[in-house]
Amino acid sequence: MCGIIGISSNKSVSASIINSLKKLEYRGYDSAGIATLFEGEIKEVKSEGRVDTLEQNFDLKNLKGNIGIGHVRWATHGKPNSVNAHPHSSHNVSVVHNGIIENSTILKKYLTTKGHVFKSQTDTEVIVHLITENLKADDLEIAITKTLNQLHGSFALGIVFKDIPDLIVGARRGSPLAVGYGPNENYLGSDSYALKAMTNKITYLDDGEFCIIKKDQVLFFNEDGIKINKKILKLSSNEVSYEKGDFKHFMAKEIEEQPITIKTGIKEYIDKTNSEINIYNFPWKISEINSITLIGCGTAYHSCMMAKYWFEELTKLDINIDIASEFRYRKNRFKKDSLYIFVSQSGETADTYAALDLCKRNNMKTCAVVNVIESSIARDANFVLPIHCGPEIGVASTKAFLGQILILYILSLKFGSLRNEINKNTYKDKVKELLNLPSLIEKSLLIDNDIQAISSTFNEVKGSMFLGRGFSYPIALEGALKLKELSYVHAEGYPAGEMKHGPLALIEDGMPVVVLAPRDNYYKKTISNMQEVIARGAKVLLITNKSKDEIISENIWETIEVENTNEDLLPFLLTIPLQKLAYYSALKKGYDIDKPRNLAKSVTVE
Ligand code: F6R
């Protein structure tokens, strides 16, 4: 999940490469590097750390050249240091790579026997030497076709050549890659986001394809090296800002943007006048679908889990959920009457994409719930339900989560109504209540003072637990994930009713336990489970909804009350304090909130 940029221009490219790399840092940020071609030489600069560090370490203004490639890395093979940073170069070839070469060890042995010397521990360096070797015997297009066929695994590549100084080669298998068109220059980028500042004209490479980019021409080839034509797409202009504005972090901004996310989703899918849900161009008859499988990773998987509860409540459909990295390798029973829903913010997550690809190869009905509508998952699914939450830059997903669960809730309501499995009046009431959700979220966001004070406790301990039952269980998992990824504190999400089957042994004096107990069908049961952890010394933070009834328990450490609404919608409101808890706890520790250690926003490797 590294970031790649390449520019072929009639002017110096280093400044534009740096700007694009800064945009691409959400894909990886443990090292950065650039290679340009100038006066018949490859000029390579790279360093450990962020693009800012690269700028501090080198005089990049004087890095000349009208052709160049750049890279931000998320380490897979070899430590994150300057030696392993990309580009990797031989005397003639320089490469930036996103992905994993699975047969790199075998290729390295072969290339060593041919006299190639390796400097890094990366799999990427193998590509450099393989191309160098193949160019000894063949012309560029044949050498590239041959090299790509020798590589196993996934890749997006940007390649420049000392002896062919007027072009960049881009190649894709498994990892996304886009070409952009500008005035007197053309570009290569991991995604359209990196290119947006320079152009809105884009072509996406498909799997197996490669391209040759010159300043005034772009040529495309299929995996057999045969020239092909490809369409140029015009990107929609996105009004939502890519800047932090007055916020300290993108995450803080994105949490506060959630009322807008929900408003936009409602505007897109709900006819307010008739209290009706509109899902236009749905390609199948409702009678053709008897089961649904929802697939995603991380936070997106939690959205799938949330959806399972709603679909089961509102329809009689058979609902399955799966983690993409598990689904893709299992012996799945593909059934004709199943709909497969892929949930992803980026639309580029490698495991989710592979699961989609597997379903497509088995002729299944596929639907994508995604944020980035130009993404691979959105382009390849039969049907797309966009989240419309605008760019999410913070690595920890916040507004995309609420956006995903909104769309999935809307879909479950619509299915319930079309299948006559919910009463017409109940359906209308639920749609009407949904219209109040943005203002309820707005009010639930006003808890910063309380949460800030509470958050320190979570930093002082070795572990914490997040408990919930029913609709609150997926939210407990999401809360635990947010805390661990931002604050590096062990946090475990658990169904409250399962504690007595083992995890209760973890509870000791002063351990913080977040209990999600809204006043729903599970309330009394969850409160009993809460008392069991309090009895064993836990410091309980109870998150519930406002009510005239008093809370039926004693010895609770802290309580946060979100607004009141119907049971279906409470998960949206319960999520907010958990996002803020993770945010403030990381803030107090001084951690890098938008770029937590070891992670990246777009996970395009397995
Ligand atoms: C956690 C988080 C990740 C992503 C996961 C899937 O805060 O953001 O767990 O949810 O990597 O990413 P997408 O949604 O882009 O497929």
Side-chain angles (χ1 to χ4, degrees), residues 297-300 343-347 349 395-397 404 481-482 485 603:
C297 302
T299 290
V343 183
S344 175
Q345 186 285 129
S346 63
T349 301
V395 164
S397 192
Q404 288 160 0
L481 177 62
K482 288 288 96 97
E485 73 174 318
V603 187

Side-chain angles (χ1 to χ4, degrees), residues 13-307:
V13 292
S14 54
S16 303
I17 289 183
I18 294 158
N19 283 340
S20 303
L21 286 182
K22 286 184 178 165
K23 295 221 158 65
L24 281 168
E25 270 192 328
Y26 77 95
R27 302 179 73 95
Y29 36 82
D30 58 42
S31 56
I34 301 176
T36 59
L37 291 179
F38 186 62
E39 294 183 338
E41 292 296 327
I42 296 173
K43 304 276 175 201
E44 187 190 274
V45 291
K46 47 194 197 175
S47 65
E48 189 179 335
R50 305 277 160 92
V51 180
D52 283 348
T53 316
L54 186 74
E55 278 185 301
Q56 282 154 22
N57 290 351
F58 297 95
D59 178 13
L60 295 179
K61 281 198 195 83
N62 284 323
L63 182 68
K64 296 198 172 114
N66 295 357
I67 286 214
I69 49 178
H71 189 267
V72 282
R73 181 169 186 247
W74 183 85
T76 57
H77 285 59
K79 282 196 170 147
N81 57 30
S82 59
V83 177
N84 291 330
H86 299 213
H88 291 280
S89 309
S90 66
H91 68 281
N92 183 29
V93 176
S94 188
V95 172
V96 286
H97 168 216
N98 171 27
I100 294 177
I101 304 303
E102 287 165 0
N103 58 340
S104 61
T105 314
I106 299 166
L107 289 171
K108 200 167 180 177
K109 271 192 195 142
Y110 157 72
L111 289 161
T112 309
T113 62
K114 295 271 176 186
H116 293 266
V117 179
F118 290 82
K119 293 175 270 188
S120 74
Q121 290 100 48
T122 64
D123 50 344
T124 306
E125 211 183 344
V126 163
I127 309 171
V128 178
H129 291 284
L130 196 58
I131 301 171
T132 310
E133 185 62 28
N134 288 335
L135 277 170
K136 284 183 189 165
D138 294 308
D139 287 345
L140 179 70
E141 288 151 38
I142 299 174
I144 294 296
T145 310
K146 198 166 159 187
T147 305
L148 301 182
N149 286 327
Q150 286 171 295
L151 298 174
H152 297 173
S154 66
F155 50 79
L157 301 173
I159 314 163
V160 291
F161 309 84
K162 178 171 93 93
D163 298 335
I164 323 170
D166 63 336
L167 57 84
I168 302 171
V169 167
R172 171 189 174 166
R173 189 197 296 153
S175 305
L177 199 61
V179 167
Y181 306 85
N184 302 315
E185 54 185 29
N186 291 311
Y187 321 101
L188 185 70
S190 294
D191 53 37
S192 53
Y193 174 53
L195 304 181
K196 249 182 179 168
M198 301 182 283
T199 182
N200 66 347
K201 283 191 257 155
I202 299 281
T203 297
Y204 292 100
L205 267 77
D206 286 310
D207 260 358
E209 293 174 354
F210 71 93
C211 61
I212 292 180
I213 299 176
K214 298 184 179 181
K215 63 177 188 297
D216 47 8
Q217 186 188 34
V218 182
L219 300 172
F220 294 96
F221 302 84
N222 68 12
E223 57 196 337
D224 300 320
I226 298 177
K227 243 186 233 167
I228 50 169
N229 291 321
K230 296 205 46 103
K231 275 193 195 143
I232 298 178
L233 310 171
K234 215 164 165 206
L235 294 179
S236 54
S237 64
N238 207 328
E239 286 143 35
V240 184
S241 162
Y242 285 90
E243 306 303 326
K244 278 202 289 266
D246 291 338
F247 290 93
K248 246 186 165 161
H249 301 99
F250 278 108
M251 184 186 178
K253 173 175 176 256
E254 287 155 9
I255 290 175
E256 299 302 324
E257 279 174 352
Q258 293 180 114
I260 307 172
T261 300
I262 302 299
K263 262 185 212 159
T264 315
I266 289 174
K267 203 169 92 199
E268 289 292 328
Y269 294 99
I270 293 179
D271 167 1
K272 287 188 191 173
T273 329
N274 298 310
S275 304
E276 186 53 83
I277 293 170
N278 291 324
I279 294 179
Y280 294 110
N281 302 324
F282 190 71
W284 308 283
K285 284 193 202 120
I286 218 70
S287 57
E288 289 176 89
I289 298 166
N290 284 318
S291 75
I292 296 181
T293 298
L294 297 120
I295 297 167
C297 302
T299 290
Y301 173 70
H302 296 154
S303 300
C304 299
M305 205 178 212
M306 196 61 247

Side-chain angles (χ1 to χ4, degrees), residues 293 295 327 333-334 338-342 359 364-367:
T293 298
I295 297 167
F327 176 86
R333 309 282 179 268
F334 291 110
S338 289
L339 170 66
Y340 287 82
I341 301 182
F342 300 86
C359 290
M364 292 293 104
K365 304 174 183 71
T366 58
C367 169

Side-chain angles (χ1 to χ4, degrees), residues 381-392:
N382 297 140
F383 184 62
V384 183
L385 293 166
I387 299 163
H388 295 297
C389 74
E392 189 182 64

Side-chain angles (χ1 to χ4, degrees), residues 302-331:
H302 296 154
S303 300
C304 299
M305 205 178 212
M306 196 61 247
K308 180 177 165 73
Y309 282 90
W310 283 322
F311 269 107
E312 286 179 348
E313 193 69 28
L314 300 167
T315 74
K316 293 197 170 111
L317 285 159
D318 189 6
I319 307 295
N320 304 298
I321 50 173
D322 225 318
I323 291 177
S325 55
E326 290 297 312
F327 176 86
R328 63 184 290 190
Y329 291 115
R330 258 213 323 273
K331 285 195 178 147

Side-chain angles (χ1 to χ4, degrees), residues 548-590:
K548 53 183 183 346
D549 301 327
E550 261 185 56
I551 294 157
I552 46 166
S553 180
E554 284 175 355
N555 299 323
I556 299 167
W557 167 53
E558 292 286 355
T559 302
I560 287 184
E561 290 181 330
V562 297
E563 295 304 304
N564 197 13
T565 179
N566 72 40
E567 289 192 7
D568 293 358
L569 300 182
L570 283 169
F572 289 89
L573 306 183
L574 296 176
T575 305
I576 311 273
L578 302 183
Q579 294 171 336
K580 293 213 173 199
L581 178 68
Y583 175 79
Y584 282 115
S585 135
L587 188 69
K588 284 219 171 99
K589 286 177 141 179

